[in-house]
């Protein structure tokens, strides 16, 4: 006969019970319950239930016995109550301190830090943020600013607080006015020309985009033109828009260094129409724009008046304030196409093309973050939609200083791609005018060393002697700067790392397939891997190396929208840090937690209780407790 178990709370503690009384009482209770449970499962075993349950319970009981012995041991006695009331510094929480818009004073800093110490906070990371309030008198990175930071460090030393700073103005990511366009994050750009082959050709090639006034050539690549490229050249559309204010030549010139805004007029959603001379088959769409919540529908019409939606186009994020439509699909044929938007939109570039591009080319080329597991199939091109590798010619040596190509090409149509690189145009944010500048190149060490020395090194040299115990760490916070897919000498770095030449595969970056889908995917996978490795080694890893050389630790949030391998980045951090928001699902702690577990980090930190305008000062302790408990159980 099976005995029915009845569990009830039969432990009672007096108000003056010690913590050992509590622990021992709980263990006695647990053991009594387990003894009863074992008798119950013994009956189950007699009825041929598997023995796994008994083995598990015996292990648990043995563990309880070991805990009981440990607590009863005189060597393990700890005054938990006193430790709870007066935690050691290592157990105290730390906080962020935002110096807003240069509003700083020594008296204010002292009062803030004394208040932190009084309520049991153990340390602070100081950020300089400029956002939404009038500017104060302190200019970022000025002598007066460093005097304030030195005062803060000295006060932290006096009060027994740990102290650190963010590595630049704002909370994202690593930039400043000392970063030149040549030292900034870089991206591949290109222009396209279709030319007739023949001897002694002198072909002008348009220079690709030049953001921040910066451009350098990489290579000139030519291959026999595909039929779809000839179709794009010969059957070009007339483009019109719902607003006359849209500068159509700017948004359709194949460049991304200028922009124009399509306004929403009254209650009608804005649109852009493409009218072709004869019906055209479209297979890919690309739009670069600034508006986070903008979406686009691809529509067709039989008469140019009444439109039907064919599909919502894939959207990806490419930067702090930049997004892109980045899609391919089975051919859709019509004489009339429309891009229908849901709101006003500021456009840099826009294209409907007969070319069947690789799926999500911006994601596959490390400009728009897309996890490999989330990448859809690269595509299934026909033979006519693939470039043969053995027909690709590198004509870089034939380009003169005036951008003219002097080359002998066989007869026929040739597509010539002039590849170069420019700045991504990313700036640190939200920063003051004096502290704002281009984001430093994340794939190269020399530019980052210059960035480190321009601010962090000054803080360490100035505050370190005044606060040898307090000054402990520097942080790289939210990575919100988008992609980067080139740096100086990248082609040589690639060949050394991967064992083959990348330049002949550059048409992949422009969305074309080379040889077949498998080859295209494999080369792009190598490309992204190298970019991720360089970002880990030359940005995050080098940051920690520089910190260690100066005797401090690195705080790093090892995630963000960019070409990051989160676990590798987390491995470089002394203290990996996630983040969680109040009244919102916990989504941004896994990288910090997992990398800490894998690589043996003793502390897993979190930006905590962040809120949006719907909460802010309306938040309450109960709401914070729920979010905090979720963070603890998730691994912070």
């Amino acid at each position: 006969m099976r005995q029915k178990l009845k569990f009830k709370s039969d432990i009672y503690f007096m108000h003056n019970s010690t913590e050992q009384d509590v622990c021992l009482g709980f263990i006695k209770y647990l053991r009594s319950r387990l003894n009863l449970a074992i008798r119950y499962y013994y009956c189950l075993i007699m009825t041929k239930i598997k023995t796994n349950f008994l083995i598990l319970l015996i292990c648990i009981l043995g563990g309880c016995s070991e805990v009981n012995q440990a607590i009863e041991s005189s060597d393990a006695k700890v005054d938990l109550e006193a430790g709870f009331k007066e935690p050691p510094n290592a157990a105290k929480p730390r906080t962020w301190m935002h110096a807003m818009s240069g509003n700083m004073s020594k008296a204010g800093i002292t009062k803030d830090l004394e208040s932190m110490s009084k309520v049991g906070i153990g340390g602070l990371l100081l950020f300089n943020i400029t956002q939404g309030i009038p500017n104060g008198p302190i200019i970022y990175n000025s002598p007066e600013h460093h005097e304030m930071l030195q005062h803060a460090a000295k006060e932290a030393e006096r009060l027994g607080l740990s102290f650190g700073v963010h590595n630049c103005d704002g909370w994202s990511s690593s930039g400043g006015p000392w970063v030149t366009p040549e030292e900034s994050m870089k991206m591949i750009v290109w222009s396209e020309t279709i030319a007739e082959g023949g001897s002694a050709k002198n072909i002008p090639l348009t220079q690709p985009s030049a953001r921040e006034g910066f451009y350098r050539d990489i290579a000139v690549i030519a291959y026999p033109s595909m039929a779809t490229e000839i179709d794009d050249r010969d059957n070009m559309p007339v483009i019109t828009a719902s607003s006359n204010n849209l500068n159509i030549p700017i948004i359709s010139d194949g460049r991304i260094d200028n922009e124009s805004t399509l306004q929403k007029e009254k209650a009608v959603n804005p649109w852009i129409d493409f009218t072709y001379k004869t019906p055209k088959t479209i297979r890919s769409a690309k739009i670069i724009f600034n508006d986070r919540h903008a979406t686009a529908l691809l529509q067709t019409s039989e008469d140019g008046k009444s439109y039907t939606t064919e599909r919502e186009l894939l959207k990806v994020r490419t930067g702090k304030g930049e997004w892109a439509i980045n899609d391919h699909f089975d051919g859709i044929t019509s004489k009339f196409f429309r891009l229908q938007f849901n709101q006003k939109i500021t456009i840099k570039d826009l294209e409907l093309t007969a070319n069947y591009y690789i799926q999500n080319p911006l994601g596959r080329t490390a400009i728009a973050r897309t996890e490999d597991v989330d990448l859809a199939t690269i595509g299934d091109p026909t033979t006519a939609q693939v470039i043969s590798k053995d027909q690709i010619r590198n004509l870089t040596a034939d380009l003169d200083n005036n951008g003219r190509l002097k080359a002998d090409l066989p007869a026929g149509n040739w597509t010539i791609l002039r590849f170069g690189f420019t700045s991504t145009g990313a700036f640190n944010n939200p920063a003051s005018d004096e502290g704002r500048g281009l984001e430093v190149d994340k794939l190269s060490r020399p530019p980052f060393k210059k960035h480190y020395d321009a601010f962090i090194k000054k803080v360490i040299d100035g505050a370190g002697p005044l606060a040898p115990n307090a000054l402990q760490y520097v942080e790289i916070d939210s990575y919100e700067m988008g992609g980067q897919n080139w740096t100086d000498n990248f082609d040589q770095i690639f060949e050394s790392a991967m064992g083959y030449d990348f330049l002949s595969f550059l048409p992949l970056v422009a969305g074309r397939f080379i040889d077949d889908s498998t080859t295209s995917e494999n080369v792009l996978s190598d490309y992204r891997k190298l970019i991720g490795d360089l970002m880990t080694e030359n940005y995050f890893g080098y940051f920690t190396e520089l910190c260690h050389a100066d005797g401090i630790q690195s705080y790093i949030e090892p995630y963000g929208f960019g070409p990051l391998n989160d676990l590798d980045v987390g491995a470089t951090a002394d203290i990996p840090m996630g983040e969680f928001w109040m009244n919102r699902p916990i989504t941004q702690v896994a990288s910090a937690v997992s990398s800490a577990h894998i690589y043996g980090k003793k502390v897993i930190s979190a930006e905590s209780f962040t809120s949006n305008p719907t909460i802010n000062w309306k938040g309450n302790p109960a709401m914070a407790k729920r979010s905090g408990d979720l963070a603890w159980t998730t691994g912070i």
Side-chain angles (χ1 to χ4, degrees):
M1 174 179 280
R2 298 182 182 180
Q3 180 180 357
K4 185 175 181 181
L5 291 180
K6 294 182 180 179
F7 286 86
K8 64 174 183 174
S9 176
D10 54 5
I11 305 177
Y12 301 93
F13 298 116
M14 299 301 292
H15 179 69
N16 61 351
S17 297
T18 68
E19 64 276 2
Q20 291 186 26
D21 291 335
V22 172
C23 292
L24 289 171
F26 177 75
I27 287 175
K28 290 176 181 177
Y29 164 76
L30 181 59
R31 293 181 70 179
S32 69
R33 297 299 94 185
L34 287 172
N35 284 332
L36 185 58
I38 288 173
R39 290 198 299 272
Y40 171 51
Y41 280 104
Y42 178 79
C43 296
L44 294 183
I45 291 166
M46 294 302 100
T47 57
K48 299 183 180 180
I49 299 298
K50 290 183 179 180
T51 61
N52 301 55
F53 297 103
L54 180 63
I55 294 170
L56 175 62
L57 287 165
I58 289 172
C59 291
I60 293 173
L61 185 60
C64 289
S65 176
E66 291 174 4
V67 173
N68 187 27
Q69 293 172 10
I71 289 180
E72 290 175 343
S73 168
S74 60
D75 294 337
K77 290 181 180 179
V78 178
D79 193 342
L80 296 178
E81 182 177 2
F84 184 81
K85 289 179 177 179
E86 294 292 338
N89 285 339
K92 290 179 180 178
R94 299 166 180 173
T95 187
W96 283 359
M97 177 179 176
H98 284 183
M100 297 298 295
S101 302
N103 288 280
M104 303 175 74
S105 70
K106 291 183 179 180
I109 289 171
T110 294
K111 289 183 178 180
D112 284 339
L113 270 58
E114 287 178 344
S115 296
M116 293 178 193
S117 177
K118 183 178 180 180
V119 299
I121 290 173
L124 67 144
L125 264 171
L126 195 150
F127 286 70
N128 289 85
I129 306 296
T130 299
Q131 191 178 50
I133 67 171
N135 289 337
I138 302 302
I139 303 300
Y140 187 84
N141 207 26
S142 66
E144 294 78 14
H145 182 218
H146 284 282
E147 187 177 344
M148 291 293 168
L149 295 176
Q150 291 163 21
H151 175 76
K154 188 165 59 174
E155 289 294 82
E157 182 87 5
R158 175 176 69 87
L159 296 165
L161 303 174
S162 62
F163 179 74
V165 296
H166 189 244
N167 80 100
C168 71
D169 201 353
W171 61 61
S172 184
S173 179
S174 299
W178 44 83
V179 179
T180 66
E182 292 84 355
E183 298 163 333
S184 70
M185 295 176 67
K186 301 173 179 68
M187 64 187 297
I188 297 179
V189 288
W190 63 93
S191 65
E192 304 179 18
T193 303
I194 295 179
E196 289 282 342
S199 61
K201 289 289 185 178
N202 192 337
I203 306 166
L205 302 183
T206 302
Q207 179 187 295
S209 299
R211 285 181 165 176
E212 302 301 317
F214 169 70
Y215 172 81
R216 296 287 185 273
D217 279 311
I218 297 173
V220 177
I221 302 296
Y223 57 87
S225 298
M226 294 184 287
T228 52
E229 295 170 335
I230 301 299
D231 182 27
D232 280 346
R233 181 194 66 180
D234 295 343
N235 190 5
M236 296 182 66
V238 174
I239 303 176
T240 55
S242 56
S243 171
N244 293 328
N245 294 327
L246 182 67
N247 189 324
I248 291 172
I250 280 181
I251 67 166
S252 59
D253 64 358
R255 301 177 66 88
I256 56 172
D257 42 9
N258 288 300
E259 62 188 38
S260 182
T261 299
L262 177 62
Q263 300 290 343
K264 179 175 181 178
E265 298 181 351
K266 299 181 180 179
V268 179
N269 281 337
W271 48 261
I272 299 175
D273 281 354
F274 298 73
T275 302
Y276 292 92
K277 292 178 292 186
T278 58
K280 184 174 178 97
T281 301
I282 299 297
R283 298 178 181 86
S284 300
K286 179 178 73 174
I287 313 169
I288 311 297
F289 56 96
N290 293 346
D291 307 271
R292 180 172 192 162
H293 300 292
T295 59
L297 302 175
L298 180 63
Q299 300 179 327
T300 59
S301 173
E302 294 182 357
D303 57 8
K305 298 177 182 178
S306 178
Y307 283 84
T308 301
T309 297
E310 299 288 345
R311 63 188 286 119
E312 182 173 347
L313 295 170
L314 174 68
K315 175 177 144 182
V316 295
R317 190 173 190 177
T318 57
K320 175 63 178 175
E322 187 176 87
W323 286 258
I325 295 297
N326 186 37
D327 207 357
H328 81 176
F329 35 83
D330 292 335
I332 301 171
T333 303
S334 179
K335 185 178 177 180
F336 305 99
F337 287 88
R338 170 172 287 182
L339 292 171
Q340 177 75 69
F341 302 98
N342 65 324
Q343 63 169 60
K344 179 183 81 170
I345 184 169
T346 299
I347 300 172
K348 294 182 171 69
D349 187 37
L350 156 149
E351 177 188 32
L352 293 183
T353 175
N355 291 323
Y356 182 70
Y357 288 152
I358 64 176
Q359 196 275 344
N360 191 358
L362 294 173
R364 279 186 158 85
T365 58
I367 291 298
R369 165 126 187 196
T370 308
E371 301 289 351
D372 282 2
V373 70
D374 294 328
L375 282 172
T377 303
I378 193 170
D380 187 20
T382 65
T383 302
Q385 295 164 345
V386 173
I387 302 167
S388 177
K389 174 71 163 52
D390 59 14
Q391 291 185 306
I392 292 175
R393 298 189 175 209
N394 188 329
L395 304 178
T396 307
D398 299 322
L399 183 70
D400 68 19
N401 293 332
N402 297 316
R404 303 189 73 86
L405 183 69
K406 300 178 180 179
D408 294 331
L409 290 167
N413 289 304
W414 287 79
T415 296
I416 304 169
L417 301 177
R418 180 181 178 181
F419 287 97
F421 62 97
T422 187
S423 172
T424 67
F427 285 76
N428 56 314
N429 176 273
S432 65
D433 291 341
E434 297 81 11
R436 185 184 300 109
L438 287 166
E439 278 286 315
V440 71
D441 189 332
K442 305 299 186 293
L443 310 185
S444 178
R445 291 193 171 204
F448 187 79
K449 179 63 163 61
K450 178 181 176 182
H451 167 75
Y452 183 92
D453 290 344
F455 175 69
I456 302 169
K457 186 66 173 175
K458 291 180 182 179
V459 174
I460 294 170
D461 289 347
L466 303 174
N469 299 304
L471 184 60
Q472 295 182 12
Y473 35 73
V474 178
E475 195 219 1
I476 294 177
D477 195 55
S478 298
Y479 185 82
E480 304 174 14
M481 295 298 107
Q484 175 177 349
N485 62 10
W486 198 259
T487 191
D488 295 333
N489 303 315
F490 182 88
D491 52 331
Q492 299 171 30
I493 298 169
F494 186 96
E495 186 162 4
S496 176
M498 300 301 174
Y500 62 95
D501 173 41
F502 181 72
L503 294 183
S504 57
F505 286 101
L506 276 171
L508 291 170
V509 181
R512 275 63 166 184
F513 287 88
I514 295 179
D515 277 349
D516 51 54
S517 56
T518 300
T519 299
S520 301
E521 185 74 286
N522 289 343
V523 173
L524 289 173
S525 179
D526 286 346
Y527 180 53
R528 291 193 305 280
K529 181 182 186 305
L530 179 58
I531 291 168
D533 290 347
L534 291 176
M535 197 146 189
T536 298
E537 296 164 8
N538 294 339
Y539 177 39
F540 296 104
Y542 188 45
F543 168 67
T544 296
E545 287 180 30
L546 292 172
C547 287
H548 288 179
D550 284 323
I552 58 177
Q553 292 183 303
S554 65
Y555 254 103
I556 296 175
E557 289 190 348
Y559 53 88
F561 59 91
L564 281 64
N565 182 321
D566 294 7
L567 296 181
D568 286 353
V569 173
T572 71
D574 291 315
I575 306 175
M577 180 163 58
E579 67 179 271
F580 64 89
W581 294 52
M582 281 202 291
N583 209 27
R584 188 164 126 173
I586 301 286
T587 59
Q588 291 173 291
V589 300
S591 297
V593 170
S594 294
S595 59
H597 289 177
I598 292 169
Y599 296 105
K601 312 296 180 178
K602 294 183 178 181
V603 176
I604 308 172
S605 182
E607 167 192 340
S608 307
F609 311 114
T610 310
S611 62
N612 58 37
T614 63
I615 299 175
N616 283 353
W617 302 109
K618 292 180 285 187
N620 58 70
M623 185 184 295
K625 183 181 187 306
R626 179 172 61 181
S627 299
D629 286 349
L630 280 170
W632 288 126
T633 58
T634 306
I636 296 302

